[in-house]
Amino acid sequence: MKKTIKFIGLALTIGFVLAGCSAGSAKEEKNEVVKIGVVGANNDVLESVKERLKEDGIDLQLVEFSDYTQPNAVLAEKEIDLNSFQHQIFLDNYNKEHKTELVSIGHTVSAPLGIYSSKIKDVKELKNGAEIAIPNDATNGGRALLLLQSAGLIKVDPAKKQTPTVSDVTENKLGLKITELDASQTARALQDIDVSVINSGMAVDAGFVPAQDAIFLEPVDETSKPYVNIIVAREADKDNKTYNKVVDVYQQEETKKVIEETSKGSSIPAWETFGRN
């Protein structure tokens, strides 16, 4: 009889353990994995979003890329679910060139482009023939040229609107040499050239605080919307509830605080100015 009681007790113990494991497994399975592509190593904002998404059973996994050429291709191939690194003009140009159907599902930040230098403190100090590095992709390159125009260094053909190229420069009184480099290289080029136009994310990765270190920073106004950073999905997934939950959690007050702390005022929560999407 004692043996029977012991056996029953053992069976119940095993049953409780298995039930516990089963409950644990069910809890783990509840977390839906969402892979989001990012560029660069500074992802404090999305890490904050990741922590808060756990409460909704979403496991946001950040997939890092070193340049702007990969995240859209990988998203289109369904190797990741979302990406967050680009603005609308960049996305439009990518879709056109690669015949992809990727769409914005939410605004993140406005991250002004900046002019940086280790040799001068003001763009007015540039001398004849000085060399300037700009990103070599069509959209960021055009944006950089417009920034140089805002700084009073050159003039570009207004007919080209937001995507002028170096050949569209109509006035260059200082005879500036404009060198086109991959966006990931413009910060590294500073030691060899006079000034460099650097995307905000790349500048932060290089140790700069854009609002403090840029010798000229892109104005943020009504013309800035095409350059607002976005969360991107495949067109077929634009209404996916889980992906839109990522946007919901991103566009919260907690995220705004992290943006302000980590960027030291260099990035602006875009959804407050331009709406959700």
Side-chain angles (χ1 to χ4, degrees), residues 100-217:
T100 48
E101 295 182 342
L102 306 178
V103 298
S104 167
I105 62 170
H107 289 141
T108 57
V109 298
S110 294
L113 199 63
I115 301 175
Y116 298 79
S117 178
S118 60
K119 299 178 180 179
I120 62 173
K121 300 295 184 182
D122 192 300
V123 292
K124 295 178 181 178
E125 297 174 31
L126 279 172
K127 298 179 180 179
N128 289 333
E131 184 175 6
I132 297 178
I134 67 170
N136 64 1
D137 61 273
T139 54
N140 283 306
R143 184 184 181 188
L145 291 171
L146 292 173
L147 178 62
L148 296 178
Q149 178 172 258
S150 295
L153 298 173
I154 62 171
K155 288 185 179 179
V156 297
D157 184 354
K160 299 300 179 178
K161 297 182 178 179
Q162 292 167 314
T163 54
T165 64
V166 174
S167 63
D168 298 316
V169 174
T170 57
E171 185 178 297
N172 183 359
K173 291 182 177 180
L174 290 176
L176 301 172
K177 179 184 177 183
I178 300 174
T179 301
E180 298 175 279
L181 300 173
D182 186 277
S184 63
Q185 300 298 317
T186 54
R188 298 177 189 175
L190 275 177
Q191 59 185 340
D192 301 315
I193 60 175
D194 299 291
V195 299
S196 191
V197 178
I198 309 174
N199 291 76
S200 182
M202 297 296 183
V204 171
D205 281 350
F208 294 113
V209 177
Q212 298 173 12
D213 298 323
I215 62 173
F216 189 87
L217 202 60

Side-chain angles (χ1 to χ4, degrees), residues 5-169:
I5 292 173
K6 287 182 180 179
F7 178 79
I8 293 172
L10 180 61
L12 288 171
T13 301
I14 294 173
F16 285 131
V17 171
L18 290 175
C21 291
S22 176
S25 298
K27 188 175 181 180
E28 289 174 5
E29 289 174 2
K30 182 183 177 182
N31 291 333
E32 183 175 355
V33 173
V34 176
K35 295 182 179 180
I36 184 166
V38 297
V39 175
N42 191 330
N43 297 297
D44 291 344
V45 175
L46 278 173
E47 289 289 353
S48 167
V49 174
K50 175 179 179 176
E51 284 301 309
R52 282 176 280 129
L53 279 168
K54 290 178 181 178
E55 299 175 6
D56 298 293
I58 298 172
D59 179 10
L60 187 67
Q61 298 183 359
L62 276 58
V63 181
E64 294 183 6
F65 297 94
S66 60
D67 59 57
Y68 295 150
T69 63
Q70 303 174 69
N72 280 335
V74 175
L75 176 59
E77 292 297 322
K78 300 183 179 181
E79 294 179 31
I80 58 176
D81 305 300
L82 303 169
N83 68 42
S84 179
F85 75 99
Q86 65 194 315
H87 48 62
Q88 189 65 52
I89 292 181
F90 187 97
L91 176 62
D92 291 344
N93 188 68
Y94 184 90
N95 279 332
K96 182 178 179 181
E97 288 187 351
H98 297 85
K99 308 211 182 309
T100 48
E101 295 182 342
L102 306 178
V103 298
S104 167
I105 62 170
H107 289 141
T108 57
V109 298
S110 294
L113 199 63
I115 301 175
Y116 298 79
S117 178
S118 60
K119 299 178 180 179
I120 62 173
K121 300 295 184 182
D122 192 300
V123 292
K124 295 178 181 178
E125 297 174 31
L126 279 172
K127 298 179 180 179
N128 289 333
E131 184 175 6
I132 297 178
I134 67 170
N136 64 1
D137 61 273
T139 54
N140 283 306
R143 184 184 181 188
L145 291 171
L146 292 173
L147 178 62
L148 296 178
Q149 178 172 258
S150 295
L153 298 173
I154 62 171
K155 288 185 179 179
V156 297
D157 184 354
K160 299 300 179 178
K161 297 182 178 179
Q162 292 167 314
T163 54
T165 64
V166 174
S167 63
D168 298 316
V169 174

Side-chain angles (χ1 to χ4, degrees), residues 238-268:
K238 66 181 181 181
D239 296 320
N240 182 290
K241 290 183 179 180
T242 301
Y243 300 168
N244 278 279
K245 185 63 180 180
V246 174
V247 175
D248 291 339
V249 174
Y250 191 107
Q251 295 178 349
Q252 290 180 350
E253 188 67 23
E254 292 92 332
T255 311
K256 178 182 175 181
K257 292 176 183 176
V258 179
I259 291 170
E260 292 172 346
E261 290 171 4
T262 58
S263 74
K264 294 180 173 61
S266 299
S267 293
I268 301 163

